[in-house]
Amino acid sequence: MDRFGPKRYGFILPAIIFTVLFAIYPLIYNVVFSFQDVTAISLIQKTSQFIGFKNYIDTLNDPIFRRTVLNTLIFTVLSILFQFIIGFLIALLFNKEFPLRDFMISLIMLPWFIPILVSGTVFKLFFMDMGLINRFLLSLKLIPKIVPWITDANMAIYSLTIANIWLGIPFNFILLYTGLKGVPVELYESAEIDGAIGLKKTLYITVPILKPIIITTLLLGAIFTIKVFDLVWIITGGGPGNSSHLFSTYSYQLAFGNYNFGLGAAVSVIMILIIIVVVSILNLIKVED
Amino acid sequence: MKLTKLIGLLLSISLLVVSSTVVWGQQKTQITVQTYWSLEPPGGVAWSDIIKKYESSHPDVEIKHYYVPFGDLVKKLITQALTGDFPDVVFADNPDVQYLARAGAFKDITKLVQEWGVWKDYIPGSQLAVTYRGKIYALHQSTNNLALWYNKDYFKQIGIASPPETWDELINVCQKLKASLPKVYPIGFSARNTEEGTWQFEPFLWSSNGSLLALDKPEAVRALDLWTTLVKEGYAPRDVLNWGQGDLTQYFKNKQLAMMVQGDWELSQSGLEDFKKNGMVFGNNFDVAKIPVPKKGMKPVVPMGGECFTLPAKGNPQKEKIAWDFVKFLNDSKNMADFCANTGRVPTRISAIEPLLKDRPDLKVFTEQAKSAVPRPAAGAGEKYTDVSTITREAIQKALSGTLSPEQAFKEASEKIRKLFSTDEEYNKALVEARSALSKVRK
């Protein structure tokens, strides 16, 4: 048998075919679209024209798109930051033995099991002007008047971020929790003998050992958060006044709301480029380690 | 050895399956229909009944229904147009007909319609909705529109005898309702960032003589001003920005809204039952009235709702004749009246309106308004309507959320809409078309 001969490619052929058909081909098709004037009509009549960078120029000049970039930034950074901190704190807490721990863990995981269609709708009911949060805060006299959580153009994106943080905690928690389980207890014991207590143990033992897991968590978190779609679509639909769009929802609205596939493709190509950049940066940190 | 055996077995099974369908095919011709109407009871009873009725009068035909969710239908038709693989009978919401005709998804059925000879029986709006560049591309099977629904009990409580007819009266009623019923919002409508938002605003825009293509004109701005006032004064919750029409019905049923802008499809037989379960009987506890107009003597003009059936651009020629027969059957005056009576819709054929009203006098407001209803593309730049609608509702949302004043929001929107046209000539042509569509139905 020749281990290094051309035969060995036979083994990876299925994987290559699959990737080309289902990942690379649509991706290239999408890039081609983004340089064309594609609408539903031109698509069917096969009259799409090559228009160079016009879709990209139009997109960059579009105030809604600029707002979308800002929104995606706010949404992603705040989501990852808080999901991670809260998830990490809960993981630390659950790393200690206490009764009913396993049951509580399954409760923590609950948001992950609920379809986003359901949790999104519930959040919409919570955040409404006549919704639960406003009624609760009003009855406790914590707010003087109704807070327009999702009906104010400036606030909507922050309310969506809160909802997304809640949704993302289980994911961060479970990755970090399994990581913590792998830290040898002896390390803490010897550190205690050397006089390390509380926060010091976490900062100087747990965090360095968990570093690869932390980076993986942040990496996956970034990818998941940048492409969030359903939550925003259900709660605000990108409104009010297109003030709470993310790349995904705006690209969808352009492509499937207005049937302007060219513009929608341009937005999604920009989104993919940004994801590639973010992932590369995080990977670089990981490799350096 | 084993592999060949397995392949042999699989082959014989598939042959068996194929041959059995061939045998079936000889007995019955299968006609495929694609809609976003469910066949499930209680809502889908009328639709499944009409299919069964056709099958029992045509024993050699089997109707196979494919359900597609509302939001996916146009996408599906576009994909089908790309592959040329259509069902035998296609269906679309009326504002999408012109676009799909232009895209080449629908067949030009002008000749077939002329041969049938009932074209003149369709109400003007329905004729407009299915016509593109002088050719007929579909038949409008039923229509619906929006009216003002009001809770009669609440109106009695504050001593108001009749529903508001003008905008001043509307504001006045809201003021009184708010003063005496602090836990109830006087009115609800949908200003969501979907077509629903534009569709709900159009009755106010058009009744005020405004046009989607001239939003910066005072007639248009005053309509947005009315909506903004309703929200600003707290007569409608700001939640209207995220409410769909389904939400409105829920809050109205729960008596959290005293009035709402809502369509007649909620008056289906099963819908009426639902209202009853909540202690609301039509005519006793709640009623409908025409959309309020800016000043006395003006006529409410509402957008035209409802779905159309037609033949696909590339159908199966052997089945086309039966498919067309089924489309005619659905558009038959009697069948139309029955279907509308059950689903709370309005017939598009004049000859079906009287029989319906005998059955369902409660639909009178909607049948009256249907006569002057306008199909949205006809009054909003035809195939550019989806873009016009997107821009319009963005402006509505900006005004209602307080981001911009109504004047500013509509000024911005009208500039954006103007940019959809490459030349002044093109824009002026669309403007004139929209004006003539509106004046046509106003007569």
Side-chain angles (χ1 to χ4, degrees):
Chain A
M1 287 296 277
D2 179 9
R3 278 178 67 195
F4 304 103
K7 264 190 186 165
R8 64 192 164 139
Y9 291 109
F11 291 102
I12 53 167
L13 199 63
I16 289 179
I17 293 174
F18 183 83
T19 323
V20 168
L21 268 182
F22 292 103
I24 298 179
Y25 176 70
L27 204 67
I28 292 173
Y29 207 66
N30 194 40
V31 175
V32 171
F33 263 23
S34 71
F35 289 105
Q36 288 181 335
D37 173 25
V38 196
T39 61
I41 291 172
S42 75
L43 196 64
I44 295 167
Q45 297 174 342
K46 302 195 171 56
T47 53
S48 307
Q49 300 281 326
F50 178 79
I51 49 164
F53 282 92
K54 185 164 184 301
N55 284 332
Y56 289 95
I57 295 166
D58 286 354
T59 304
L60 294 176
N61 283 329
D62 176 3
I64 304 175
F65 178 77
R66 282 187 229 143
R67 175 79 205 220
T68 304
V69 175
L70 182 71
N71 283 345
T72 311
L73 196 72
I74 296 172
F75 187 77
T76 313
V77 170
L78 290 183
S79 287
I80 294 180
L81 188 70
F82 283 98
Q83 281 171 2
F84 179 77
I85 293 174
I86 299 170
F88 195 49
L89 290 177
I90 300 177
L92 284 176
L93 178 73
F94 278 83
N95 204 22
K96 304 214 157 37
E97 286 289 338
F98 57 87
L100 288 179
R101 190 177 66 167
D102 291 344
F103 174 69
M104 301 278 268
I105 287 179
S106 46
L107 279 188
I108 300 273
M109 297 304 295
L110 210 58
W112 220 19
F113 296 125
I114 302 173
I116 297 189
L117 186 67
V118 176
S119 39
T121 312
V122 171
F123 267 110
K124 187 174 158 183
L125 294 174
F126 275 12
F127 280 134
M128 280 192 345
D129 280 18
M130 43 196 283
L132 210 65
I133 297 181
N134 272 322
R135 283 195 195 178
F136 181 72
L137 295 178
L138 275 178
S139 69
L140 289 179
K141 300 225 160 40
L142 285 172
I143 45 173
K145 61 180 176 51
I146 283 170
V147 178
W149 296 100
I150 49 172
T151 54
D152 181 89
N154 293 318
M155 270 189 84
I157 189 67
Y158 293 100
S159 306
L160 290 171
T161 309
I162 294 174
N164 191 54
I165 290 170
W166 181 82
L167 282 173
I169 289 172
F171 171 74
N172 283 261
F173 161 75
I174 202 73
L175 280 188
L176 295 167
Y177 176 72
T178 26
L180 279 177
K181 286 272 129 199
V183 181
V185 191
E186 295 80 21
L187 279 180
Y188 293 110
E189 282 167 356
S190 49
E192 266 165 43
I193 295 168
D194 289 341
I197 42 158
L199 194 64
K200 267 192 176 158
K201 275 197 287 186
T202 313
L203 276 183
Y204 295 115
I205 301 174
T206 320
V207 173
I209 291 180
L210 281 188
K211 199 176 166 194
I213 292 176
I214 290 174
I215 289 174
T216 312
T217 313
L218 293 176
L219 191 77
L220 290 173
I223 298 172
F224 289 158
T225 314
I226 293 177
K227 68 184 183 71
V228 162
F229 171 81
D230 23 21
L231 189 74
V232 177
W233 200 249
I234 293 161
I235 298 180
T236 65
N242 291 331
S243 64
S244 66
H245 274 300
L246 300 180
F247 282 133
S248 54
T249 54
Y250 191 46
S251 153
Y252 181 85
Q253 181 174 310
L254 289 171
F256 296 104
N258 301 358
Y259 307 115
N260 198 329
F261 297 112
L263 275 180
V267 172
S268 69
V269 167
I270 295 174
M271 172 172 107
I272 293 167
L273 285 179
I274 291 176
I275 291 184
I276 291 175
V277 170
V278 171
V279 170
S280 314
I281 292 172
L282 283 168
N283 252 334
L284 224 61
I285 304 172
K286 206 174 165 187
V287 171
E288 271 171 14
D289 204 46
Chain B
M1 255 325 252
K2 263 188 181 168
L3 196 69
T4 37
K5 257 189 187 171
L6 188 72
I7 290 172
L9 188 74
L10 280 175
L11 268 177
S12 47
I13 290 176
S14 52
L15 260 177
L16 212 74
V17 173
V18 170
S19 57
S20 61
T21 37
V22 169
V23 172
W24 262 95
Q26 278 169 352
Q27 287 171 342
K28 280 192 180 190
T29 315
Q30 195 183 59
I31 297 293
T32 49
V33 185
Q34 168 184 288
T35 75
Y36 53 64
W37 287 341
S38 158
L39 291 171
E40 298 299 315
V45 170
W47 178 223
S48 69
D49 276 359
I50 201 165
I51 289 178
K52 276 182 213 149
K53 194 176 161 194
Y54 187 82
E55 282 176 331
S56 62
S57 59
H58 299 76
D60 53 336
V61 180
E62 184 196 357
I63 305 284
K64 175 108 177 99
H65 179 251
Y66 291 107
Y67 169 79
V68 178
F70 176 78
D72 291 340
L73 186 81
V74 176
K75 270 177 263 171
K76 184 109 190 174
L77 283 165
I78 290 171
T79 327
Q80 284 164 340
L82 271 172
T83 59
D85 190 18
F86 286 105
D88 302 316
V89 175
V90 284
F91 159 102
D93 197 5
N94 76 80
D96 298 325
V97 168
Q98 293 194 340
Y99 190 86
L100 289 163
R102 159 92 208 269
F106 290 170
K107 192 183 166 78
D108 170 7
I109 55 168
T110 317
K111 250 185 140 178
L112 292 170
V113 175
Q114 280 166 353
E115 275 166 26
W116 193 24
V118 299
W119 178 245
K120 289 253 160 69
D121 195 26
Y122 282 88
I123 53 177
S126 290
Q127 292 184 357
L128 264 177
V130 296
T131 312
Y132 176 67
R133 291 194 181 157
K135 300 264 168 30
I136 303 167
Y137 282 90
L139 285 178
H140 198 191
Q141 183 255 357
S142 68
T143 179
N144 53 62
N145 56 69
L146 296 166
L148 184 74
W149 295 46
Y150 62 101
N151 185 314
K152 271 188 150 175
D153 297 335
Y154 284 151
F155 271 53
K156 251 179 236 159
Q157 270 182 45
I158 59 163
I160 298 172
S162 62
E165 284 171 21
T166 64
W167 291 0
D168 287 341
E169 283 174 35
L170 180 69
I171 297 279
N172 211 338
V173 170
C174 285
Q175 213 171 0
K176 279 187 189 159
L177 281 163
K178 194 174 162 72
S180 20
L181 303 161
K183 290 207 162 169
V184 178
Y185 275 101
I187 189 166
F189 45 84
S190 167
R192 192 150 74 149
N193 193 21
T194 63
E195 173 61 24
E196 271 173 303
T198 320
W199 147 264
Q200 285 243 334
F201 179 71
E202 280 158 348
F204 297 90
L205 175 72
W206 290 340
S207 301
S208 163
N209 281 325
S211 167
L212 286 169
L213 301 179
L215 288 175
D216 52 347
K217 294 276 169 344
E219 308 90 86
V221 173
R222 70 177 170 189
L224 185 57
D225 218 32
L226 173 77
W227 267 30
T228 313
T229 309
L230 291 175
V231 171
K232 227 190 226 156
E233 298 293 324
Y235 299 150
R238 286 171 63 114
D239 294 327
V240 295
L241 286 163
N242 293 310
W243 276 355
Q245 297 182 121
D247 298 312
L248 294 175
T249 308
Q250 285 312 317
Y251 294 112
F252 185 75
K253 242 184 230 169
N254 291 339
K255 304 181 180 80
Q256 286 165 290
L257 289 176
M259 291 180 279
M260 67 168 171
V261 179
Q262 185 62 278
D264 46 291
W265 58 86
E266 296 286 356
L267 290 177
S268 67
Q269 301 291 6
S270 58
L272 286 170
E273 283 303 310
D274 265 357
F275 272 105
K276 244 182 222 163
K277 274 182 209 151
N278 280 267
M280 290 181 84
V281 176
F282 187 89
N284 289 336
N285 309 98
F286 72 105
D287 214 330
V288 291
K290 285 188 182 172
I291 291 285
V293 290
K295 281 186 191 75
K296 269 234 152 65
M298 290 176 91
K299 195 171 174 184
V301 179
V302 292
M304 168 153 256
E307 289 77 11
C308 307
F309 284 88
T310 190
L311 303 175
K314 281 179 227 122
N316 180 340
Q318 281 135 9
K319 291 183 177 178
E320 208 163 61
K321 221 178 139 195
I322 308 173
W324 173 243
D325 188 55
F326 183 60
V327 173
K328 282 201 286 186
F329 182 83
L330 294 173
N331 280 276
D332 170 77
S333 189
K334 165 104 183 32
N335 290 340
M336 194 186 266
D338 287 349
F339 179 83
C340 291
N342 191 303
T343 55
R345 275 154 223 259
V346 175
T348 49
R349 288 181 59 180
I350 298 158
S351 60
I353 293 176
E354 278 312 311
L356 170 89
L357 286 178
K358 254 179 220 153
D359 236 12
R360 294 290 307 268
D362 49 336
L363 290 174
K364 179 130 182 139
V365 166
F366 296 102
T367 56
E368 295 265 302
Q369 287 191 150
K371 286 177 197 160
S372 60
V374 191
R376 285 157 272 169
E383 63 210 45
K384 289 195 172 70
Y385 175 74
T386 42
D387 289 313
V388 171
S389 164
T390 314
I391 296 169
T392 308
R393 62 180 182 254
E394 184 194 353
I396 296 170
Q397 287 212 324
K398 279 187 177 164
L400 295 192
S401 62
T403 316
L404 290 178
S405 73
E407 296 83 27
Q408 286 169 320
F410 265 1
K411 190 164 178 284
E412 195 187 273
S414 73
E415 280 161 13
K416 277 191 193 173
I417 288 172
R418 175 61 191 79
K419 278 190 194 139
L420 295 173
F421 302 89
S422 39
T423 60
D424 275 332
E425 199 191 341
E426 205 189 329
Y427 168 74
N428 287 330
K429 202 179 144 220
L431 192 66
V432 170
E433 269 172 20
R435 288 254 175 256
S436 78
L438 285 166
S439 59
K440 218 179 209 171
V441 298
R442 260 200 202 100
K443 275 176 197 161

